[in-house]
Every structure is written in structure tokens, then in C-alpha cells.
């Protein structure tokens, strides 16, 4: 809060000043009944003799007036705390709504999930030890876990001081995340506060310096451990009171919503000790259905009420008519028993009859009171006591048709106490309906409480009924501001609306667009079928159609979500909620693909995240899901190899028609691809129907002599060896089938392409070196025309790969093609070839065309590197070379800095005038670069050996003559050369070597994983290629055109990588995968429990050995000596056992 924003406070918040002097008969006229001295009152107050004469008792409402408050702002306790507190002096009749808004909106206090108002225990009476423990270990600890406000008087005395110290200690011990969860709020009478004049400043204090001499003794000074103070002013001085405003504030807060907005803020009054005068306060709040928790044994009023309620609960109650409504009146016997207890507990009270009436009124509302025997029960389960006290009251407030346990469930969810919910609500005694759990489920989802989500789904909540598309939209609308997901959704919303709209405008269309951005072209867009956009490929048309749909009734929002668990999994992954996402992964089908999808989304999301901490957590969660996918598939592979292969290539209806292999490739899941099962499938596809142990020389021999494929030189798999994912081809004659088995294998296509590519490079080299004829009509030669045709067939194959493979749109295919590095290399080579051929056809550009073709030959030759990817040793080296190229760019940056610095200085020192740009470029850049490799022209650097003809004539130099060197700065040139060589040859070159070594070590350590990952791309590429290599591939293109376009014959080979399962086969595979997932999760839990058990066993053994050692040492010393060391304690062991048991739960 600042001075500018606080300028309005005195205009609406008032203080009270006594305006009528009512003489106190015990002070001989020196004091007013308000507690103030005669001199402190103004002339108006002293001059009203008539009012003074007829008034016997001072009343704040009649005898005080309101003025603008003069004490508000921030409070700094001098020498006690760096943290500032807030304070406000206000009249007792200030509207509580105004004060609550000030505290939450302007002071920034967090909205409470619970308010505990501690009543009693004021004054300088000593607080009992067990009451201190209840406050410290019970109240404050429970408040910290729920996010509560604790209301006390806020003074350094009695219970208020105990609460302040407990809040301070817990805040010190807690993490920074939970530091502000507990808010200690002091509500004290202004006239009772010591040194209150230090707070007075009509313009507000920012901050006010509040100095207290002795902080250790009890006093009526403000406690520095409180976050805020409301100083209630009724015009009196030195009086305890202010309870009326505090009661109104409690009642107002009880009708406000919690931070999550699911329930009203629960307010509980806690009575500790107390005087007889507080009976009225208790009675009035009970009539407003305010729950009370009474600490029996704390003394005073608390002991009286516990005695009455515990011992008189069985007394009969008769009906009697009173004023107004018919109320339950007490019997005479009950009244006598209450009167007897009033005399016993308050013997010095004169008006005992009024106390009896109040006590009987309280007795009639006893359902709102909970008695807590803290001395016997202990403070450990105090949070459960608080919950039961609140629920006990809410049961009596609830309507007849509402479930009595709904309030208790909502409180447990708000406090995030799943242990209480399990023990009290979901223990089998209560039959929960779907309607009872619906709101709490939404609350648990939005506020990231996965344990409650798990609890609800296990106890009757049907997710199919719960998750409609409308509710899914509302979940996305609840995404917190400032997250990367929120910004992405807002950006898509702006595209649809044209301007920034409110979060309520968010729809599934924005969600689908965000997922399309993250997933790329791996799968079909999500939720397009729901919005009726599945047939629309253009983004503009889809945007117009969605805008038109969303302006209408939006009937789709009432429909059930088709794949609820997967949708919730995506929702939680997009928000980087680890535990929630893990639970939804456990519940969703297609577990391997779901884990890979989560990995893909998180890795793409981490690239867009700006904050380093969030980016790191996203990457860690992505790696966790990749590990889960690897381990899960490993379990499937051990169970059934054939089905696990089908799992990898099964087309998923849940994830937009993609497969595990496609998703793994998109997610860069190298660990997943390194699995033996994935590699086994790739090897099987790579070798086709041939056995995997076939030697390469046999393939080459058969390639040049195709008749050998009909012999036993090459072994082929039997039909029953083929896994169930393959569709069996139609039966053909042996000659045809064996021919197809050999030539249709990807390995055969690979070998054919490699051999023909080498021939292509030989032909290209021959044309450039031997047979490159002049432009037409003299050329080109026949060999060059053959080369043109060969490149034409390569272009045809690139066009086929780009536009005639898969089911993606044209734009998606082009985007996927360009993303591949080797496709860019092909594209560059083809474009350069076309430019070179066109230029060489004309006399004026013949030389340039030949130069372009020479460079193009280099590009075509470098394309050979891609072939090495199939080799286990050479494959990772390609990745090493690629990463080293990035290192070279950094090296070249540093080198260019030094090279330019030295080159320019060296040229300027050697030659005073040289206008030739060619010589300047060579001497500034080229010559220093050659220095690195040892080519240093000493005769040019040192003038004594310079024997080259030169001139100092400016005219001759301008005409092109060599200028003479400058002699006098020769010594500086030599020094610069030494420094330059030292930096470049020793420092920078060694830096480059170190960078290369680091890159090599990093990739080489995971070379097997790298090789297996990149092998997939090569297998897919040659699997989809025709059997014949360029230039004969044109025959395959003609054959494919006839079969696919004219005869409409579908491809069988495509089922090797994408398999569409329907009906019974799909259900069987889904059931099998679900069983494997259950076994996998069971195994994980078993491993976790066994590791915990081993740890507990080890700690127990260690404790026992320490105990035995101590006993032996003690006995050895004899009975007359003291033990040499204290006995070992099991405290650490017990704490660890307790922590382990909580972890298992």
C-alpha cells in the first residue's frame, strides 16, 4: 500500500473521540468513565454540564463522535523485525465489508481457507504449558497446512503472544513457498495499546516507527509477529473490549468465498480460558450459527462451558413459549444445575442470574460447540479436530435435502487433507452419489490436488458423465495467468476475435490450435471432429467456420468427451503438473503412446517457456515420461514380442491417427528407440522376408546375378515367423513371390541406391573432367544427356516422396520435407544443377555454368554421408560431425575478431598508403589466416630482407604499383605477429580441440542410442522407396502410377509402419496393453515398498547394534560407574520410519 493509494482511507475510515465528559465517581472528578483524563477532553466535552448531570453511565454510541482516522499505514518494529506490518485505527461501527476489502485488495493478504478466532486468554495470566503446545503444534501447524487467518488481540501478552511466537517459528522453519500461508491478524482496542501515539499521523505512516523498550515482558504493546492490526476505537482509554466489531467481521467473513471459490470461508471461534463477561459474546455468535471450539482445562469460562456441556448433556428439555418464535426452554432441574456450576466457577460474580440465562441459551445451541480435552488428547491431530468442529456445525446448518457430509468434503478438499477424507469420509460408511462429488472434483482439478482426484474416481465418480466438452473448456479457462499455456491460448483467441477477449471466450478451437502448434504434423488436429472441422484443411476456412459455430448455440458442449482420460492428461501436461499428469497417464489407454505424447508436448512447450526454472521442470517431466514409455514397452516386449510390434505401428484413434514410432520420432525419444524391441522391429522391416543374419556379400552377389535369389544362397523367413501386425499378401507363384521377397526388401533398395549413386558420381565426374563439350550446337555430349536424364529421375523420386506419400495436406508435406537436413541438401543440389545446365547452354554464361556444376558435384558427393547412418560405428560419427560444425561457428567468431584486429593493424603499420582493394583484402584477411598454418612471409614482415621492387610515388601506387613498406614501425609489427600467433595457434586452436573433445565424448558415450535413433529415419526412407534405383526408378514410377492412380490397388507395404486395427483385434490389443500396464505399476509399487522396507530394516539393525554396544560398555564399567556415553536414541529412526510410512501412503 502506498501513500497515493492510501489517501482515501481517512475519508471513509473514522476514529472515535469522547465528546461528553461523564465523571468517574471513583476518581474524584479527575477521570471520565471513558478512561481518559479531564485535561485530555476538549472544551465541548467539558462544557455539556446538562448531559453530564443526567448521565450515570458512559456509552460510546452516545458520548463519542467520529473523526477521520489519523493512524494507518505500515508499521515497523524498531530493532525487532525487517518485515513491515499493516495497521489501521477504525471506529467500532465501521462496516466489516470495507475492512475485509482493504485487507485483501490493498494490503494484499491472501484469501483465507479458514479463519480461527482465538477468544480469551488475555491479560497477564500465565498460559498453561499444554495450551502453548496446542497453539504451537496444533493450531498454527494446522493453519499452515490449510492457509488460515488467526485472529487474536495481537498484543504481547497471554495467548496473543503465544500465537505470535508460534507463527514466527513455523514461518522460519517453513519453505519460502508456504511462508505467507498463515496470517496472524491482531484486533485490539485502540485505547489499550501502549505507545499508540507513535502510530498517529493524519497523512498515514509508511512506515511508522514503533519502539518498545522491553520485548521480553508481557505488556499491551503490539506483537511484531503479526502481519496486520485492526485497532478498534470506541473512544475509551485503557479498556478491554472491541468484541462487537470482531464478531461482525467474523460473521461477514463466514459469508465470503474461499480463494478457490468452492465454499464459504469456514470461521471457527476458539475459546481459551476467558472471563464470565464473555458469555454474552459466545451466546450472540452461537445464535448466528458460528461454531465454537472450547479448550477444556484451560481455566475460566472454558472450564465452565465444558463442565455444563459434558455433564448436563443428558438433561431433559421441555417446550416453553417465549416472545416471538417458539424456542426450547430449559427445565427447572437443569436451571438449578447450571446455577450451581455458575457459583462454583464464578463465586465473585454479582449478577449470577444473567449468567445462568446466558448459559442456558448457550446450552440450547450446544450443537455448534465442540469440547476439546487437549491435556489428554495432545496436539497432533488438531487439524482433524478443527475439521470435525466445523463439520459438526455445518451439519446443523445444512438443508434437509443436502448431504450432511458435503460440507465436510468441501472443507477437506479446500484444505487439501486427503488423509482426513480417507479416514472420515471414504471409509465405507457413506454412500457417495455422483452429484455429491461433482463440484469437489472440479475444485480438486483446478487447484491441482491429484490425490483427491484419485480418491473421487475410486469412490463412485464416473469420468464419462463428468467430463463434457463444456466442462473441458471451463478447465482450460481456469489456467493461471502468466503461464506459457495461458499466453498461447490468448494468442489464438486474438486470432479468432481480432482483439484480446476475456478468458470466458476460450473454446476448444483455441485448445486445438495450441495442440496443433505443439504436436506439429505428427497427428491430425485434436477436437476438430467435435467442432465439425475435420474435412477443412485450410486454416482460414477453419477459423471462419469455428467463429460462426461459436457465435451460435454450441451444442457440442453438452456432449460427453470421447476420450476423457486422454483429454485430462493433455490438460495437466500442458500445465506441467507432474503428479496429476502421472495419475491421468495411469488411467488413460494406449499407455506407451500417451507417455510419448506427453514427452513431445512438454519438450515443445519447454522451447517456448522463458523462465529457466519452469523450462527445467518441463524437461525433467518430459524425460520422466520417456523413461515410463521405455519401461512400459519393455514390459510389453517381455510378455509378447509379436503384440508389442503391433503396439508400435498401431494407428491410434485417441492421438490423431499417429503411431508410437511416429510420436517417438517427433518427441526426439532416443532412449525409447534404443530399446531392443523397437530395434528388432526395425531390423525385421529392414530385411523384409529375408533372415536378418544374411551376409552383405550374398546380397551384392544376388544383386548382380538375380537368378541366385531362387537358390539357397539367401535364407528367407517362413510365413509363420511374420508377426501378426503384417497383412499376409495374396498367394503368388514361387518365381514371382521369391522375386518380390528379394527386391522389395528395404535393404535391397538401399544397396541398389548406394551402388547406382556411386555410378552417378562417376558419370558426373567423367562429364566434368573429360566430356564437358562447348555450348550447342557443339555440345552437350551423349554422356551429359544421360546425366541429365539421371538427375531427372532423381527429381521425380523427390517429387514422389514429397507429394505422394502419407495422408497429410500439401502444406504439411512440404513443411515436413523441408525440415529434413538431407532433403535440403538434395534440393540445393538439384537447384544448382538446373542453374548450371541452363547457364552452360549459352556462350556468354558457359564458364559460370561449368563452375556451378563443379560446386554442385561437391554437394552431390557430400550427400553420400547420409548413407553411413546405417552403419553402427560410422552412424554416430555423422552426428559428431554435425555438432562439431556448431563448435566451428563459435570458433570462427573468436577467430574473426582477432584476425580482423591483427590484419587491419598490420596492414596500416606496414603500408602507409595502398588504395588497391584486392591487395587490402588479401593482406587483411587472407594473409593472417595463412599465418595460422605457418605461412609467414618473413621478408615482408622484416624490412631488412625486403627485395621486391616498390615505389613511394603516389601516382604510380594509384596506377597499381607495389607500395614500399614503412620501416620505422617494424618492431611493433613483429610484436603484434608474436601476440597474434600466440592467441590463434595456441589459445584458440586448443580451445577448438577441447570443444571437439567434449562433443566427441558426449556423443560417443551415447553412440549406440544416437545410432539407433537415426536408423529409424533411414529405414522409413528406403522402406517407402521403389525397388529400382535411379535412373531405372522411372520404371517403378510408371508401375506405381498405373497401380495406385489407374487401377486403385492399395499398398501392402504401408502396413509395416502404420496398421489400422478395428473391432475385435483393436479391443484385444487394448486389453492386453492395459493388463501389462497394471502389472508394470504393481511392479513399480513393489520395488518402492521393498526399498523402503530395506531402509527401515537397515536403520533398525543400526539402532540395535548401537544399543547392544552401549549395554556392553556400561556393564564393562561396573555398577559403581556412570555409563561412558548416553544410551542411543531411536528418535531419528522413528522419525524416518514415520516419514517412510507417510511416503508409502
Amino acid at each position: 500500500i502506498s501513500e497515493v493509494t492510501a489517501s482515501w482511507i481517512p475519508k471513509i475510515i473514522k476514529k472515535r473521540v469522547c465528546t461528553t465528559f461523564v465523571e468517574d465517581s471513583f476518581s474524584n472528578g479527575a477521570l471520565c468513565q471513558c478512561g481518559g483524563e479531564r485535561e485530555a477532553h476538549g472544551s465541548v466535552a467539558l462544557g455539556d454540564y446538562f448531559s453530564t448531570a443526567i448521565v450515570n453511565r458512559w456509552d460510546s454510541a452516545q458520548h463519542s463522535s467520529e473523526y477521520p482516522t489519523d493512524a494507518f499505514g505500515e508499521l515497523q518494529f524498531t530493532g525487532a523485525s525487517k518485515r513491515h506490518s499493516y495497521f489501521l485505527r477504525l471506529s467500532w461501527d465501521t462496516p466489516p465489508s470495507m475492512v475485509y476489502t482493504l485487507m485483501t485488495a490493498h494490503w494484499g493478504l491472501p484469501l483465507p481457507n479458514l479463519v480461527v478466532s482465538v477468544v480469551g486468554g488475555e491479560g497477564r495470566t500465565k498460559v498453561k504449558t499444554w495450551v502453548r503446545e496446542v497453539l504451537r503444534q496444533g493450531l498454527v501447524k494446522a493453519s499452515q497446512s490449510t492457509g488460515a487467518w488467526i485472529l487474536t488481540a495481537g498484543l504481547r501478552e497471554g495467548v496473543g503472544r503465544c500465537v505470535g511466537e508460534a507463527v514466527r517459528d513455523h514461518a522460519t522453519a517453513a519453505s519460502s513457498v508456504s511462508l505467507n500461508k498463515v496470517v496472524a491478524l491482531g484486533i485490539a482496542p485502540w485505547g489499550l495499546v501502549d505507545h499508540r501515539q507513535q502510530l498517529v499521523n493524519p497523512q498515514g505512516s509508511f512506515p511508522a516507527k514503533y519502539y518498545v523498550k522491553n520485548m521480553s515482558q508481557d505488556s499491551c504493546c503490539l506483537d511484531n509477529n503479526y502481519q496486520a492490526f485492526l485497532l478498534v476505537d470506541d473512544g475509551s482509554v485503557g479498556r478491554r473490549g472491541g468484541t462487537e466489531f470482531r464478531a461482525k467481521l467474523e460473521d461477514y467473513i463466514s459469508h465470503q468465498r474461499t480463494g478457490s471459490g468452492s465454499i464459504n470461508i469456514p470461521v471457527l471461534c476458539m475459546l481459551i480460558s476467558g472471563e464470565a463477561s464473555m458469555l454474552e459474546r459466545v451466546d450472540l455468535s452461537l445464535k448466528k450459527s458460528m461454531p465454537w471450539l472450547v479448550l477444556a482445562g484451560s481455566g475460566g469460562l472454558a472450564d465452565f462451558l465444558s463442565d455444563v456441556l459434558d455433564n448436563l448433556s443428558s438433561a431433559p428439555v421441555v417446550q416453553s413459549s417465549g416472545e416471538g418464535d417458539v424456542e426450547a426452554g430449559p427445565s427447572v432441574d437443569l436451571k438449578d444445575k447450571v446455577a450451581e456450576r455458575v457459583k462454583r466457577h464464578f463465586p465473585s460474580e454479582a449478577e449470577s442470574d444473567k449468567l445462568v440465562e446466558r448459559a442456558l441459551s448457550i446450552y440450547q445451541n450446544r450443537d455448534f460447540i465442540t469440547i476439546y480435552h487437549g491435556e489428554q488428547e495432545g496436539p497432533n491431530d488438531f487439524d482433524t479436530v478443527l475439521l470435525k468442529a466445523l463439520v459438526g456445525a455445518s451439519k446443523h446448518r445444512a438443508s434437509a435435502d443436502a448431504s450432511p457430509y458435503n460440507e465436510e468434503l468441501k472443507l477437506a478438499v479446500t484444505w487439501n487433507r486427503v488423509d482426513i477424507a480417507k479416514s472420515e469420509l471414504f471409509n465405507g460408511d457413506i454412500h457417495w452419489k455422483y452429484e455429491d462429488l461433482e463440484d469437489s472434483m472440479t475444485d480438486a482439478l483446478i487447484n491441482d490436488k491429484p490425490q483427491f482426484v484419485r480418491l473421487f474416481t475410486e469412490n463412485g465418480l464416473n469420468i464419462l458423465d463428468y467430463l463434457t466438452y463444456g466442462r473441458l473448456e471451463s478447465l482450460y479457462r481456469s489456467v493461471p495467468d502468466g503461464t506459457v499455456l495461458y499466453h498461447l491460448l490468448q494468442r489464438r483467441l486474438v486470432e479468432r476475435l481480432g482483439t484480446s477477449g476475456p478468458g470466458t471466450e476460450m473454446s476448444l478451437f483455441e485448445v486445438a490450435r495450441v495442440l496443433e502448434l505443439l504436436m506439429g504434423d505428427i497427428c491430425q488436429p485434436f477436437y476438430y471432429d467435435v467442432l465439425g472441422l475435420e474435412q477443412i484443411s485450410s486454416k482460414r476456412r477453419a477459423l471462419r467456420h469455428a467463429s460462426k459455430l461459436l457465435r451460435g448455440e454450441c451444442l457440442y458442449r453438452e456432449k460427453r468427451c470421447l476420450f476423457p482420460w486422454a483429454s485430462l492428461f493433455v490438460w495437466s501436461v500442458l500445465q506441467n503438473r507432474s503428479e496429476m499428469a502421472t495419475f491421468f497417464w495411469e488411467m488413460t489407454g494406449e499407455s506407451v503412446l500417451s507417455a510419448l505424447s506427453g514427452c513431445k508436448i512438454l519438450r515443445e512447450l519447454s522451447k517456448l517457456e522463458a523462465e529457466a526454472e519452469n523450462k527445467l521442470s518441463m524437461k525433467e517431466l518430459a524425460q520422466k515420461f520417456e523413461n515410463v514409455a521405455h519401461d512400459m514397452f519393455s514390459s510389453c516386449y517381455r510378455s509378447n514380442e509379436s503384440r508389442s510390434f503391433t503396439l508400435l505401428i498401431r494407428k491410434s484413434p485417441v492421438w490423431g491417427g499417429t503411431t508410437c514410432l511416429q510420436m517417438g520420432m517427433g518427441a526426439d525419444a532416443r532412449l525409447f528407440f534404443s530399446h531392443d524391441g523397437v530395434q528388432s522391429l526395425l531390423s525385421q522391416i529392414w530385411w523384409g522376408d529375408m533372415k536378418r543374419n544374411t551376409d552383405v556379400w550374398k546380397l551384392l552377389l544376388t544383386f548382380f546375378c538375380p537368378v541366385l535369389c531362387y537358390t539357397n544362397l539367401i535364407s528367407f523367413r517362413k510365413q509363420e515367423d511374420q508377426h501378426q501386425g503384417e497383412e499376409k499378401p495374396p498367394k503368388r507363384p514361387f518365381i514371382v513371390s521369391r522375386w518380390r521377397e528379394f527386391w522389395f526388401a528395404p535393404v535391397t533398395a538401399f544397396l541398389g541406391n548406394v551402388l547406382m549413386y556411386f555410378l552417378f558420381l562417376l558419370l558426373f565426374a567423367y562429364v566434368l573432367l573429360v566430356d564437358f563439350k562447348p555450348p550447342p550446337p557443339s555440345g552437350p555430349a551423349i554422356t551429359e544427356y544421360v546425366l541429365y536424364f539421371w538427375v531427372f529421375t532423381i527429381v521425380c523420386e523427390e517429387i514422389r516422396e514429397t507429394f505422394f506419400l502419407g495422408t497429410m495436406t500439401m502444406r504439411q508435406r512440404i513443411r515436413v520435407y523441408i525440415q529434413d537436413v538431407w532433403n535440403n541438401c538434395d534440393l540445393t543440389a538439384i537447384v544448382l544443377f538446373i542453374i548450371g545446365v541452363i547457364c552452360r547452354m549459352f556462350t556468354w554464361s558457359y564458364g559460370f555454368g561449368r563452375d556451378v556444376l563443379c560446386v554442385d558435384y561437391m554437394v552431390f558427393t557430400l550427400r553420400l554421408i547420409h548413407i553411413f547412418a546405417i552403419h553402427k560405428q560410422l552412424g554416430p560419427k555423422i552426428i559428431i560431425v554435425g555438432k562439431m560444425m556448431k563448435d566451428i561457428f563459435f570458433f570462427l567468431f573468436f577467430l574473426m575478431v582477432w584476425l580482423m584486429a591483427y590484419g587491419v593493424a598490420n596492414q596500416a603499420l606496414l603500408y602507409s598508403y595502398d588504395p588497391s582493394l584486392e591487395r587490402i583484402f588479401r593482406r587483411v584477411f587472407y594473409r593472417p589466416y595463412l599465418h595460422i598454418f605457418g605461412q609467414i612471409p618473413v621478408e615482408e614482415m622484416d624490412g631488412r630482407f625486403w627485395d621486391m621492387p616498390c615505389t613511394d610515388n603516389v601516382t604510380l601506387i594509384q596506377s597499381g604499383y607495389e607500395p614500399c613498406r614503412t620501416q620505422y614501425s617494424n618492431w611493433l609489427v613483429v610484436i603484434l605477429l608474436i601476440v597474434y600467433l600466440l592467441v590463434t595457434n595456441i589459445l584458440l586452436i586448443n580451445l577448438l580441440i577441447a570443444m571437439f573433445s567434449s562433443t566427441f565424448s558426449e556423443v560417443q558415450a551415447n553412440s549406440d542410442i544416437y545410432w539407433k535413433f537415426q536408423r529409424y529415419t533411414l529405414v522409413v526412407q528406403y522402406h517407402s522407396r521403389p525397388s529400382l534405383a535411379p535412373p531405372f526408378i522411372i520404371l517403378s514410377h510408371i508401375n506405381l502410377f498405373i497401380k495406385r492412380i489407374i487401377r486403385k490397388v492399395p499398398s501392402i507395404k504401408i502396413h509395416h509402419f502404420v496398421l489400422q486395427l478395428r473391432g475385435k483385434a483393436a479391443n484385444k490389443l487394448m486389453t492386453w496393453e492395459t493388463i501389462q500396464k497394471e502389472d508394470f505399476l504393481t511392479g513399480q509399487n513393489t520395488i518402492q515398498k521393498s526399498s523402503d522396507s530395506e531402509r527401515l530394516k537397515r536403520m533398525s539393525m543400526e539402532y540395535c547394534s548401537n544399543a547392544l554396544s552401549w549395554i556392553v560398555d556400561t556393564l564393562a564399567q561396573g555398577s559403581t560407574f556412570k555409563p561412558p556415553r548416553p544410551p542411543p536414541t531411536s528418535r531419528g529412526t522413528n522419525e524416518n520410519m514415520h516419514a517412510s510410512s507417510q511416503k508409502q501412503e
Side-chain angles (χ1 to χ4, degrees), residues 520-577:
D521 302 317
I522 296 174
C523 55
Q524 297 299 318
F526 287 78
Y527 307 123
Y528 268 33
D529 53 342
V530 180
L531 299 168
L533 306 175
E534 66 272 15
Q535 302 299 328
I536 302 175
S537 58
S538 170
K539 286 188 177 180
R540 288 185 179 180
R541 287 178 55 207
L543 188 63
R544 286 198 301 268
H545 183 88
S547 300
K548 183 179 178 182
L549 173 69
L550 294 169
R551 282 195 298 265
E553 295 183 12
C554 301
L555 298 176
Y556 73 90
R557 288 175 178 162
E558 303 300 324
K559 295 180 182 177
R560 289 181 176 183
C561 190
L562 196 58
F563 304 106
W565 291 120
S567 297
L568 289 173
F569 174 71
V570 171
W571 173 78
S572 56
V573 164
L574 285 170
Q575 296 186 80
N576 194 27
R577 294 181 174 181

Side-chain angles (χ1 to χ4, degrees), residues 755-766:
L755 291 172
M756 296 308 293
Y757 199 77
F758 274 110
L759 290 176
F760 166 73
L761 292 177
L762 288 174
L763 176 63
F764 202 163
Y766 176 79

